[in-house]
Amino acid sequence: MENSVYSMEILYSGKYESWEFEDRQTRDAFYGKVAQQFAGQKVTEQEDVEDTQIVQLSSNNLEIKEDGKYDQDTSYEWFEYDIFSQMLDFINKEYDKKE
């Protein structure tokens, strides 16, 4: 039997928050909603950017196999650092609604 964990994280200057989802489709839809909400603050130039100048929004898929091995893949987008609190508030409010 395989176990899978589907999560979404935000990371900014050592601050980290994570949310888990029942399935990949629900998490992907939620991730898309957050990315869309803050699309205007997305950082597209990812060269020579200090990690203190960005918020990283990521989705993570972890599949644990019967033999103890696992597959993991992560995708992420960067946003302007000053929206961390707004993004955190938005995610927490929307995450509570999804239940």
Side-chain angles (χ1 to χ4, degrees):
M1 183 181 135
E2 289 186 9
N3 286 321
S4 298
V5 177
Y6 304 104
S7 61
M8 185 177 82
E9 298 90 26
I10 59 173
L11 177 64
Y12 164 64
S13 195
K15 297 175 185 163
Y16 171 84
E17 293 287 337
S18 177
W19 299 265
E20 285 193 14
F21 296 84
E22 303 255 329
D23 56 61
R24 188 175 188 149
Q25 293 81 5
T26 304
R27 194 278 323 281
D28 287 351
F30 194 88
Y31 180 92
K33 185 177 194 175
V34 175
Q36 181 63 41
Q37 177 73 19
F38 296 97
Q41 287 86 25
K42 190 171 176 181
V43 174
T44 52
E45 240 352 274
Q46 294 191 356
E47 296 170 16
D48 301 324
V49 178
E50 292 286 324
D51 63 355
T52 57
Q53 300 298 305
I54 56 152
V55 173
Q56 180 174 298
L57 173 68
S58 59
S59 63
N60 190 30
N61 306 313
L62 178 64
E63 295 180 10
I64 303 163
K65 311 282 187 191
E66 279 184 27
D67 60 7
K69 293 181 180 171
Y70 63 91
D71 289 330
Q72 183 173 11
D73 68 274
T74 303
S75 57
Y76 62 88
E77 295 178 75
W78 290 352
F79 297 85
E80 295 168 6
Y81 72 95
D82 56 353
I83 65 158
F84 178 80
S85 297
Q86 293 168 276
M87 186 177 276
L88 182 60
D89 289 346
F90 178 80
I91 292 170
N92 282 329
K93 283 184 188 129
E94 294 299 313
Y95 188 80
D96 288 342
K97 281 187 206 172
K98 77 168 191 53
E99 307 262 317

